[in-house]
Amino acid sequence: MLGLPRGEVFLVSWTKEWKEAFLNEKKLIEKLIGEYMIDIQHIGSTAVPHLKAKPIIDIAIVLERFEDGLKCIAPLEKLGYKYRENVLPERYYFNKGEPRTHQIHMYEKGNKYLMEQLKFRNHLINNDAARIEYEQLKIQLSQANPSNKHQYAEEKTDFIRSILNIING
């Protein structure tokens, strides 16, 4: 299953189809804006095997120069993405679909938010106990905030910070 209706928060069980959905989207994106990209990564909970997640594919695109992101807006709109200005700090943010199926977070190389995303994802992939603990928290928060994605996200912050503190020593 892929797609989260506006205003809803719910989790579904992980599926290998999410990786395939990312790889398919990656090919489309690379064809249109590959000249500006250094890297493209599957991030967020759908990138972590066996972790329940909101059914949205999160994609991180790494740019050599931040201002190149402006050149990517029109091509990504051809794929159905909508650019959302000033949604999240230090990135270009796009979403696709209604219900929403994909999100792009476009960063300049070395961006601290990008580095945190990748570190957290990798830690959950490699640490079953942390993945299970995070999943239990996500289940609890999704049930407590079924129509408030901002509250759901905010209440995950302390756990994410604690993991990043462990990783960063």
Side-chain angles (χ1 to χ4, degrees), residues 58-75:
D58 281 290
I59 300 169
I61 294 176
V62 186
L63 305 169
E64 179 71 36
R65 298 176 327 126
F66 188 71
E67 52 273 11
D68 284 343
L70 294 173
K71 300 171 188 169
C72 299
I73 295 171

Side-chain angles (χ1 to χ4, degrees), residues 22-128:
F22 164 74
L23 293 172
N24 290 336
E25 200 72 9
K26 176 183 175 181
K27 288 177 193 170
L28 297 172
I29 292 168
E30 286 174 331
K31 283 181 187 174
L32 290 178
I33 63 166
E35 65 187 289
Y36 304 112
M37 296 172 20
I38 295 173
D39 194 14
I40 183 168
Q41 295 272 330
H42 188 183
I43 59 171
S45 293
T46 60
V48 179
H50 313 295
L51 178 62
K52 286 187 177 186
K54 293 182 298 177
I56 302 171
I57 305 298
D58 281 290
I59 300 169
I61 294 176
V62 186
L63 305 169
E64 179 71 36
R65 298 176 327 126
F66 188 71
E67 52 273 11
D68 284 343
L70 294 173
K71 300 171 188 169
C72 299
I73 295 171
L76 289 172
E77 286 175 344
K78 291 177 185 171
L79 288 178
Y81 284 95
K82 292 180 183 170
Y83 173 54
R84 306 290 188 190
E85 208 166 345
N86 301 319
V87 171
L88 293 164
E90 298 181 32
R91 74 195 81 179
Y92 296 94
Y93 171 80
F94 302 79
N95 60 25
K96 179 179 182 176
E98 186 55 52
R100 192 168 13 124
T101 58
H102 297 76
Q103 300 179 135
I104 292 175
H105 306 261
M106 192 178 288
Y107 305 93
E108 185 172 35
K109 68 178 179 182
N111 177 283
K112 70 176 185 170
Y113 295 107
L114 168 66
M115 304 316 292
E116 287 177 348
Q117 282 271 358
L118 297 175
K119 286 178 184 179
F120 186 69
R121 176 202 65 189
N122 293 343
H123 184 77
L124 293 180
I125 288 171
N126 296 311
N127 187 310
D128 288 340

